[in-house]
Amino acid sequence: ALSGLARMGLIEVSPGMRARVCRLTLKPLLREMRATLEIYSSSAEGWRQLHDLRLFFETAVVRRMALEATDEQLAHIDELLQNQRRLLDASEIRAFAEADIDFHRYLVNCVSNSFLEIISNGFAGWLITPLYASMQVRKQSELAYNAHVRIYEALQQRDADAAEEAMRAHLGEMRGIYQVDVMVEEKVEQGEEQQS
C-alpha cells in the first residue's frame, strides 16, 4: 500500500524513516504518461491517434495564443526561432530537433494549464527520437523551421485563423514524414515475423 502511494507521489518513503506526506504535484502523472505514450505509439494505429490528439490541442493552443500572447512571449518565440536558424546553419541536427520541441512546448506553456503542459512534455519525450531521425534530411529541417516562422508571423499579426492553419499544415506535413517511417518499421517487423 505504501509503495502504491509512493508511486502516485502522495508519500515519500525512505529506509529507516516514517513515510512522509508529499505536496501533491503532477510529476507522477507525467512519468506515467511518457511510459504510456511510448507503449501506445509502438503500433501504427496508436501513432496515428496520438498525432490526432497533438493536432487537436496544438491548433487550439495557437488560436488562443494569437488572441492572448504578450509582447514578451512573442519576443521569446522570436529568440527561439533565431536559435533554430543558428543551429540549422551550423548543421547541429540533434540540437535543432530539441529546439524544435522547445518551440512547441513553449507555445503550450504560454497557455498556463498544467494538464496541457503534461501532455506537451509527454509528447516531447515521445517525439525526440523520430524527430531527430527525420531531421537528418536537411530539407525536412528547413520545412520545420519555415513552418515555425509562419506560425510565429500569424501570432504576431494576432490572426487566430492563420495561426491554426499554419500549425495544422505543419503537423500534417510532419505526420506524413513520421508515418512513412512507422510504416517502414512495421513492414520490417512483419517480414521478420514471417521468416521466423
Side-chain angles (χ1 to χ4, degrees):
L2 291 176
S3 295
L5 291 172
R7 283 194 301 273
M8 293 167 64
L10 298 175
I11 64 170
E12 186 178 279
V13 180
S14 301
M17 300 185 70
R18 287 185 175 186
R20 197 166 56 92
V21 175
C22 296
R23 182 170 177 267
L24 187 61
T25 71
L26 296 174
K27 286 182 181 177
L29 181 56
L30 174 57
R31 284 195 301 271
E32 293 295 327
M33 182 174 181
R34 281 182 177 167
T36 302
L37 285 173
E38 286 175 11
I39 295 167
Y40 196 65
S41 65
S42 62
S43 72
E45 183 56 28
W47 188 272
R48 292 185 191 99
Q49 289 186 24
L50 288 172
H51 270 287
D52 286 345
L53 173 61
R54 186 183 183 202
L55 180 67
F56 179 78
F57 87 84
E58 286 207 40
T59 52
V61 162
V62 292
R63 283 199 71 87
R64 183 163 171 182
M65 279 287 290
L67 301 174
E68 299 180 3
T70 65
D71 291 339
E72 291 77 12
Q73 288 170 336
L74 291 173
H76 186 68
I77 295 170
D78 184 41
E79 290 173 8
L80 292 174
L81 290 174
Q82 289 178 38
N83 183 50
Q84 285 183 17
R85 182 73 262 172
R86 181 184 61 76
L87 294 171
L88 196 54
D89 291 342
S91 296
E92 296 181 29
I93 303 303
R94 176 72 187 197
F96 178 81
E98 291 170 353
D100 181 299
I101 285 175
D102 286 343
F103 173 83
H104 288 272
R105 187 159 40 198
Y106 181 72
L107 293 179
V108 174
N109 290 352
C110 285
V111 176
S112 298
N113 182 301
S114 296
F115 287 98
L116 283 181
E117 288 175 25
I118 283 176
I119 294 173
S120 179
N121 286 329
F123 274 117
W126 163 55
L127 283 172
I128 187 60
T129 300
L131 182 61
Y132 175 55
S134 70
M135 292 302 170
Q136 297 295 322
V137 180
R138 173 70 185 221
K139 181 182 176 185
Q140 291 172 5
S141 302
E142 290 282 357
L143 284 173
Y145 171 76
N146 291 332
H148 293 171
V149 170
R150 286 192 293 274
I151 293 165
Y152 170 61
E153 289 172 348
L155 294 176
Q156 270 190 314
Q157 295 162 11
R158 309 291 181 177
D159 189 332
D161 291 337
E164 178 181 345
E165 182 51 40
M167 181 62 81
R168 187 179 302 281
H170 172 45
L171 294 183
E173 196 169 55
M174 291 297 103
R175 174 179 180 159
I177 293 167
Y178 298 153
Q179 192 165 317
V180 168
D181 293 340
V182 171
M183 296 304 287
V184 168
E185 286 176 12
E186 274 202 335
K187 286 178 182 176
V188 169
E189 288 173 5
Q190 288 171 359
E192 288 173 352
E193 287 174 6
Q194 288 174 358
Q195 287 176 1
S196 56

